[in-house]
Amino acid sequence: MIRYSCDLCKRDLDPEHDLRYVVKIEVYAAFDPTTDGEEDDRDHLEEIQDILERLEDSDSDQVGDDVYQQLRFDLCPECRKKFARNPLAREAAKVFDFSSN
Ligand SMILES: [Zn+2]
């Protein structure tokens, strides 16, 4: 049986009792549409598509990490709540100060 553990708090998740949440993060370079006039969104989507296809062809994990990156995490319900509140891990103190005490 596959055992999962939370990637944030590291506690083991019991598949029979604990809900497990999967967080998938896609980070990819944004290609701003050029202002040439004739270009439209379709062109830069194709450009991204080309890059993704090239990445799929490539065997190297190193290629394109700064162009396209996919991350996957398993989270327990508590950590999922924390993540949903602050997905970019911004300074929690400032954001949530008003609710302390
Ligand atoms: Zn957790």
Side-chain angles (χ1 to χ4, degrees):
M1 186 167 63
I2 302 171
R3 303 288 305 193
Y4 290 99
S5 59
C6 173
D7 282 322
L8 255 188
C9 68
K10 307 295 180 196
R11 87 176 167 89
D12 286 333
L13 295 171
D14 180 342
E16 297 197 353
H17 299 104
D18 292 316
L19 261 176
R20 179 171 58 93
Y21 291 89
V22 175
V23 180
K24 281 185 179 174
I25 302 178
E26 259 186 312
V27 185
Y28 53 87
F31 293 94
D32 292 328
T34 57
T35 50
D36 286 351
E38 286 180 27
E39 307 270 353
D40 63 13
D41 280 6
R42 240 168 279 152
D43 290 308
H44 86 275
L45 284 179
E46 275 173 26
E47 208 173 331
I48 292 173
Q49 199 66 41
D50 283 349
I51 290 169
L52 294 185
E53 277 167 18
R54 246 179 289 152
L55 288 179
E56 279 170 18
D57 289 342
S58 148
D59 286 332
S60 169
D61 288 339
Q62 292 177 331
V63 173
D65 233 27
D66 48 351
V67 175
Y68 180 84
Q69 200 178 15
Q70 193 176 50
L71 309 166
R72 184 190 177 283
F73 303 101
D74 295 307
L75 296 184
C76 70
E78 285 78 24
C79 290
R80 179 239 142 214
K81 272 186 227 163
K82 283 183 216 160
F83 174 80
R85 270 192 301 227
N86 193 12
L88 295 182
R90 285 174 292 218
E91 271 184 75
K94 282 179 188 165
V95 178
F96 298 113
D97 212 18
F98 62 88
S99 64
S100 63
N101 299 328

